């Protein structure tokens, strides 16, 4: 944040070391160290809010079992509150803290999207759980009371991954989260499943875009552009994109949207969603 840097490092005995560095007047100073049980998935599993630091973790046991927890620490990195034994034998796949509420996904055969009230740092509590097939690798705020999930579909019985999907969750009532819409992207590989930077999600422009490669499809690499309509997700553009690594980034300037890969820049008109120009990169 503008006040602190939190650095973590997982080490032996299923624990994570934490260091808090304070930023002030251009200086960085170590202020506190601590440790918590379990390991963190990524930076979205860490949050700072009103002088406290929140973490969502997975702990593994020698017998192969797992459990998950939500831990809140104060500025000295001392524990103030905790929720333990969440979704045993599953692990955290994505997390997003949004003020007084935390959302996180665990997975084994179905995707429980948990919501937790973290307004009281001494007494966090689970307030909701939505179970649907598959899981979300990343969660993005998408307008008031909405949460976008980018992840994978899965067989409800076996848990086997069957493809890529988008989900829109209604979080207007955090204790009663529902899945408003979903769409199957097919048997796809996408960097968006491994890096949040590969997804362009802008509710103001109403654009959700990411690179993808559909297995068994002769079109090969492409850049997919969706919008959110009243009836659900709508595929607005399917732009062929020459690309070796199925890696691309999206951005807009004015009324034009740019899909940039390692070999090509494609220009898309955001009114018609047609490709208007391209530049090959040698």
């Amino acid at each position: 944040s503008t006040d602190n840097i939190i650095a973590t490092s997982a080490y032996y005995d299923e624990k994570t070391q934490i260091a808090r560095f304070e930023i002030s007047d251009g200086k960085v100073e170590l202020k506190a160290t601590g440790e918590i049980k379990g390991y963190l998935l990524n930076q979205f599993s860490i949050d700072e809010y009103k002088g406290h630091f929140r973490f969502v973790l997975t702990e593994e046991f020698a017998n192969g079992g797992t459990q998950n927890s939500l831990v809140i620490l104060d500025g000295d990195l001392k524990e103030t509150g905790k929720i333990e034994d969440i979704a045993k034998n599953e692990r955290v796949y994505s997390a997003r803290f949004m003020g007084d509420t935390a959302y996180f996904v665990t997975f084994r055969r179905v995707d429980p999207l948990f919501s937790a009230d973290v307004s009281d740092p001494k007494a966090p509590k689970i307030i909701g759980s939505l179970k649907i097939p598959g899981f979300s690798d990343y969660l993005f705020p998408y307008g008031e009371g909405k949460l976008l999930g980018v992840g994978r579909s899965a067989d409800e019985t076996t848990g086997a991954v069957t493809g890529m999907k988008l989900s829109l969750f209604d979080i207007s009532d955090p204790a009663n989260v529902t899945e408003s819409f979903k769409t199957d992207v097919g048997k796809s590989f996408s960097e968006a499943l491994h890096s949040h930077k590969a997804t362009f999600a802008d509710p103001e422009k109403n654009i959700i875009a990411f690179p993808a490669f559909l297995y068994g499809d002769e079109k090969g690499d492409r850049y997919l552009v969706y919008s959110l309509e009243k009836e659900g997700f709508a595929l607005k553009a399917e732009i062929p994109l020459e690309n070796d690594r199925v890696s691309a980034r999206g951005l807009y300037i004015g009324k034009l949207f740019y899909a940039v890969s390692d070999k090509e820049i494609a220009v898309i008109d955001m009114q018609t969603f047609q490709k208007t120009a391209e530049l090959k990169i040698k």
Side-chain angles (χ1 to χ4, degrees), residues 129-171:
S129 174
L130 171 68
K131 291 189 176 183
I132 54 176
F135 57 90
S136 298
D137 288 283
Y138 292 101
L139 298 169
F140 301 90
Y142 200 77
E144 186 69 28
K146 298 182 179 67
L147 193 63
L148 171 68
V150 177
R152 285 170 269 198
S153 54
D155 185 281
E156 189 169 356
T157 303
T158 65
V161 172
T162 57
M164 182 178 177
K165 73 168 183 175
L166 301 177
S167 296
L168 186 78
F169 301 105
D170 182 343
I171 58 170

Side-chain angles (χ1 to χ4, degrees), residues 77-143:
L77 300 183
K78 304 299 183 184
E79 182 182 305
T80 64
K82 177 192 292 186
I83 309 173
E84 293 184 289
D85 300 330
I86 304 169
K88 286 188 176 181
N89 297 320
E90 300 183 10
R91 69 178 179 88
V92 173
Y93 270 72
S94 58
R96 178 70 72 161
F97 288 90
M98 299 175 67
D100 288 335
T101 309
Y103 300 93
F104 56 95
V105 167
T106 63
F107 179 72
R108 188 178 185 186
R109 289 192 176 89
V110 294
D111 163 2
L113 171 60
F114 290 97
S115 52
D117 183 341
V118 287
S119 57
D120 183 351
K122 294 181 180 179
K125 58 184 178 180
I126 300 293
I127 55 175
S129 174
L130 171 68
K131 291 189 176 183
I132 54 176
F135 57 90
S136 298
D137 288 283
Y138 292 101
L139 298 169
F140 301 90
Y142 200 77

Side-chain angles (χ1 to χ4, degrees), residues 25-47:
D25 297 325
K27 297 179 180 179
V28 179
E29 184 178 358
L30 178 63
K31 285 294 186 178
T33 60
E35 66 178 32
I36 45 181
K37 286 186 178 181
Y39 62 86
L40 299 160
L41 176 66
N42 54 34
Q43 67 266 42
F44 297 109
S45 298
I46 310 172
D47 182 67

Side-chain angles (χ1 to χ4, degrees), residues 93 179 202 277:
Y93 270 72
E179 185 180 46
D202 189 327

Side-chain angles (χ1 to χ4, degrees), residues 51-278:
H52 286 81
F53 302 90
R54 293 96 67 94
F55 304 82
V56 174
L57 307 103
T58 297
E59 186 178 358
E60 292 184 349
F61 304 107
N63 63 5
T66 61
Q67 72 166 10
N68 305 283
S69 60
L70 189 154
V71 181
I72 302 179
L73 308 181
D74 62 16
D76 294 323
L77 300 183
K78 304 299 183 184
E79 182 182 305
T80 64
K82 177 192 292 186
I83 309 173
E84 293 184 289
D85 300 330
I86 304 169
K88 286 188 176 181
N89 297 320
E90 300 183 10
R91 69 178 179 88
V92 173
Y93 270 72
S94 58
R96 178 70 72 161
F97 288 90
M98 299 175 67
D100 288 335
T101 309
Y103 300 93
F104 56 95
V105 167
T106 63
F107 179 72
R108 188 178 185 186
R109 289 192 176 89
V110 294
D111 163 2
L113 171 60
F114 290 97
S115 52
D117 183 341
V118 287
S119 57
D120 183 351
K122 294 181 180 179
K125 58 184 178 180
I126 300 293
I127 55 175
S129 174
L130 171 68
K131 291 189 176 183
I132 54 176
F135 57 90
S136 298
D137 288 283
Y138 292 101
L139 298 169
F140 301 90
Y142 200 77
E144 186 69 28
K146 298 182 179 67
L147 193 63
L148 171 68
V150 177
R152 285 170 269 198
S153 54
D155 185 281
E156 189 169 356
T157 303
T158 65
V161 172
T162 57
M164 182 178 177
K165 73 168 183 175
L166 301 177
S167 296
L168 186 78
F169 301 105
D170 182 343
I171 58 170
S172 54
D173 178 3
N176 185 32
V177 176
T178 59
E179 185 180 46
S180 301
F181 305 113
K182 65 178 178 180
T183 190
D184 188 358
V185 185
K187 293 183 178 180
S188 305
F189 169 80
S190 175
E191 191 193 9
L193 300 173
H194 307 285
S195 171
H196 67 280
K197 295 180 180 179
T199 297
F200 179 93
D202 189 327
E204 185 177 334
K205 295 293 182 182
N206 193 18
I207 289 180
I208 302 161
F210 50 88
F213 178 86
L214 270 66
Y215 296 109
D217 191 320
E218 294 179 356
K219 293 181 182 179
D221 297 346
R222 80 283 306 278
Y223 196 80
L224 304 180
V225 182
Y226 288 84
S227 67
L228 183 63
E229 309 297 339
K230 290 183 179 180
E231 63 275 11
F233 294 102
L235 180 60
K236 292 293 187 177
E238 193 171 359
I239 308 299
L241 196 62
E242 191 175 350
N243 188 5
D244 275 343
R245 299 189 296 262
V246 199
S247 174
R249 298 289 184 266
L251 69 150
Y252 68 86
I253 302 173
K255 297 180 179 180
L256 297 176
F257 187 87
Y258 297 82
V260 183
S261 76
D262 57 339
K263 289 192 173 184
E264 179 184 353
I265 299 174
V267 185
I268 304 165
D269 186 308
M270 288 192 290
Q271 302 299 315
T272 64
F273 290 99
Q274 298 296 311
K275 183 162 75 170
T276 61
E278 63 181 28

